[in-house]
Amino acid sequence: MPGVSSFRSNLFRSVLGASAGLLAAFAALAVAALAAGLVRPAAGPVTVVGGAVIDRTPAAVKDFAIRTFGENDKTALRLGILAVLALIAVALGVLALSHRRAGSGGVLLFGAVGAAAALSRPDSAGLGDALPSIAGAVAGALALYVLASKAAPGPVPESVRVPVSAPVSTPADADGQDDAGGWNRRGFLTAAGVTVAASASAGALGTFLSGRQGQGAVASRAGLILPQPASPAPAVPAGARLKIPGVTAFTTPNSDFYRVDTALTVPKVDAGTWRLRIHGEGVTRPRTYTLDQLLARPLIERDITLTCVSNEVGGPYIGTARWLGVPLADLLEEAGVVPPSRGGEADQLVARSVDGMTLGSPVEDLMDGRDAMLAVGMNGEPLPFDHGFPVRMLVPGLYGYVSACKWITDIELTTFDAYDAYWVKRAWARRAPVKTQSRIDTPKPFARPAAGTVVVAGVAWAQRRGITRVQIRVDDGPWQDADLAAQAGVDTWRQWSYRWGATPGGHTITVRATDGTGQVQTERRTRTIPDGASGWHSVFVTVT
């Protein structure tokens, strides 16, 4: 049947074209990975394009991504970029069967997009960052051109032309020219095999080279011995750690500590080459520090709870660690900085990361006596790379997006009127003190506990103010006081528990907290944008 035969022929050609496009995309990404390994791993096209996407994504969409994917949001973004690239590669491959130059030109166009994204990144190291995208695009364009030329229909050799009266058959000649589709089967398969082998080799070498670039940082962290603090952290009271199954531990292990940032590739900074510069308005004595110089100073050690502004009511993006660091106020005072309340010129400190991230903190808060620090240690070891090695900033009582700059390398004193930091440009508030919040850790939502005594327990926090009361309500009943664990300090969360006489049926359990100022946690539900979520956390359970 001519119609069916034509459909099959067109479908077969489309599959060939799609295969050519995907192979070309593989070649492009592999060569780009090799070039990134030679230049700078963070300049890889998927990383720079992903960074550009993050920078241009509305705050509400980012908030949705964090709610939906959690700490896997970057993996989801990478997979999304690769899926889009695969679809585009398929389309360009099909196009190249009829218009090889147009298909190859499309690959080069996307290389130009990657190069532009690389040069636009805040941490761009210059023109060299464009090389991975350009090299990958050239390799992909050449691969597509060759593969399409082998897959495209051509004249059938005289030796295999079938006479009209001959039986219908679709043999392939000795040179691999297939009469059914007019494509050079042997030539295409050979070119495909060479493309796969060369691309796999290039990608593996690129991965190896990228890993070598981070070896110095890994070695510097492994060899770092943290000094003893001049001001050790007070011992955590014995009664601060409740031994109730399901309750979040008072101290969060480093491996479990939340990570929310925009870095698609975690920076690996060599401690030996790291520098910190302090400069800007009101800085009469600019300073540049090495890590050794910071470690030689008197260090403080404190238990501090950090909270992400993207933490929904009852959410997981909060953790407590024992931090070791240099008091930030001391460094600012030595640089000549005076807080605004005493006539200082600058009211904002802008912290910059090695990847170009900027966070803005109120100078007044940094110099009001709280334990704001440049942290070098976390739970008894050097900072993990995920959490800012070699140095990060943290300020008790402020959400992370206005205080907790990881991989910090620059501190500039300025004003809020003169400069908007990264998140402020994206609709988040300039100032963001942590709100009073509480969370039920156990029982979990939709749990089915047995009737009788059920222990309800969790944590509450209000950094800089502390927690003085936690109350539980079952359904529409009266508020009942929970038992509080010992207070470890105003900058840490506080565990609590309540023994509930559970009766059969469905019940809603709600919690609220009161902070050290007497302010009761608000019932009013708000989203995380622009300055943190608020509202009461509740869980529904069915008692059996």
Side-chain angles (χ1 to χ4, degrees), residues 326-511:
V326 179
L328 183 54
D330 291 354
L331 297 176
L332 295 178
E333 288 172 358
E334 290 177 13
V337 177
V338 176
S341 60
R342 302 210 314 262
E345 300 176 31
D347 62 4
Q348 178 181 205
L349 179 150
V350 175
R352 287 185 174 83
S353 167
V354 295
D355 66 351
M357 172 57 66
T358 57
L359 304 182
S361 308
V363 173
E364 196 68 46
D365 292 349
L366 305 178
M367 304 184 75
D368 67 358
R370 71 183 73 190
D371 290 315
M373 70 171 79
L374 295 181
V376 296
M378 181 180 182
N379 289 333
E381 64 178 77
L383 292 172
F385 287 109
D386 280 357
H387 296 291
F389 180 83
V391 180
R392 73 172 296 168
M393 182 173 138
L394 60 89
V395 183
L398 301 182
Y399 284 117
Y401 86 100
V402 293
S403 65
C405 184
K406 295 187 283 190
W407 315 292
I408 189 171
T409 190
D410 185 270
I411 289 177
E412 180 181 3
L413 280 298
T414 182
T415 66
F416 283 106
D417 290 338
Y419 185 82
D420 285 338
Y422 182 92
W423 292 111
V424 175
K425 294 176 182 176
R426 291 158 177 81
W428 296 84
R430 289 177 172 177
R431 301 171 187 269
V434 174
K435 297 179 179 180
T436 301
Q437 286 283 285
S438 52
R439 186 181 73 197
I440 299 171
D441 287 342
T442 184
K444 298 295 184 185
F446 308 111
R448 300 178 64 84
T453 300
V454 173
V455 177
V456 182
V459 291
W461 60 92
Q463 291 92 312
R464 300 305 302 147
R465 303 179 301 280
I467 295 294
T468 57
R469 188 182 194 187
V470 172
Q471 295 173 295
I472 290 295
R473 184 177 69 186
V474 179
D475 299 323
D476 293 323
W479 288 101
Q480 303 288 337
D481 285 337
D483 295 322
L484 294 177
Q487 178 80 53
V490 296
D491 290 335
T492 64
W493 53 15
R494 192 170 189 178
Q495 297 176 335
W496 55 268
S497 65
Y498 175 75
R499 296 176 64 82
W500 170 41
T503 57
H507 299 283
T508 299
I509 309 169
T510 305
V511 63

Side-chain angles (χ1 to χ4, degrees), residues 313 435 437 521-527 531-536:
V313 172
K435 297 179 179 180
Q437 286 283 285
Q521 177 183 344
T522 179
E523 179 184 10
R524 181 172 175 266
R525 275 270 181 165
T526 63
R527 298 287 300 276
D531 60 356
S534 66
W536 296 340

Side-chain angles (χ1 to χ4, degrees), residues 8 30 44 57 81 114 150 178 184 216 257 270 277 301 307 329 387 400 415 426-427 477 498 516 531:
R8 288 178 176 174
T57 299
I81 291 173
K150 303 298 182 183
D178 196 320
N184 186 337
F257 210 94
D270 191 322
R277 180 186 176 210
E301 182 184 60
T307 312
H387 296 291
T415 66
R426 291 158 177 81
Y498 175 75
D531 60 356

Side-chain angles (χ1 to χ4, degrees), residues 32-232:
L34 174 58
L38 293 169
V39 177
R40 198 169 67 96
V46 174
T47 299
V48 296
V49 171
V53 170
I54 290 174
D55 289 349
R56 290 161 179 78
T57 299
V61 177
K62 289 180 183 175
D63 201 40
F64 167 80
I66 292 174
R67 289 199 314 273
T68 305
F69 301 109
E71 294 186 34
N72 296 315
D73 57 336
K74 299 169 191 66
T75 300
L77 175 59
R78 284 182 177 274
L79 292 176
I81 291 173
L82 291 175
V84 171
L85 287 176
L87 292 174
I88 294 171
V90 167
L92 291 177
V94 173
L95 173 65
L97 289 182
S98 303
H99 307 281
R100 287 197 290 274
R101 291 182 179 178
S104 298
V107 178
L108 293 175
L109 177 61
F110 276 90
V113 171
L119 296 176
S120 69
R121 301 298 302 141
D123 62 334
S124 174
L127 292 176
D129 279 4
L131 180 60
S133 294
I134 294 173
V138 171
L142 289 174
L144 181 58
Y145 193 90
V146 172
L147 289 165
S149 70
K150 303 298 182 183
V156 181
E158 189 72 28
S159 61
V160 296
R161 288 185 181 169
V162 182
V164 175
S165 59
V168 176
S169 61
T170 57
D173 73 344
D175 294 325
Q177 188 79 19
D178 196 320
D179 181 43
W183 65 296
N184 186 337
R185 182 175 59 185
R186 179 172 298 173
F188 181 85
L189 293 177
T190 300
V194 171
T195 299
V196 170
S199 300
S201 299
L205 181 57
T207 300
F208 172 75
L209 293 174
S210 294
R212 282 180 61 88
Q213 288 203 21
Q215 286 183 355
V218 173
S220 69
R221 182 180 183 275
L224 182 61
I225 299 176
L226 297 175
Q228 292 298 309
S231 174

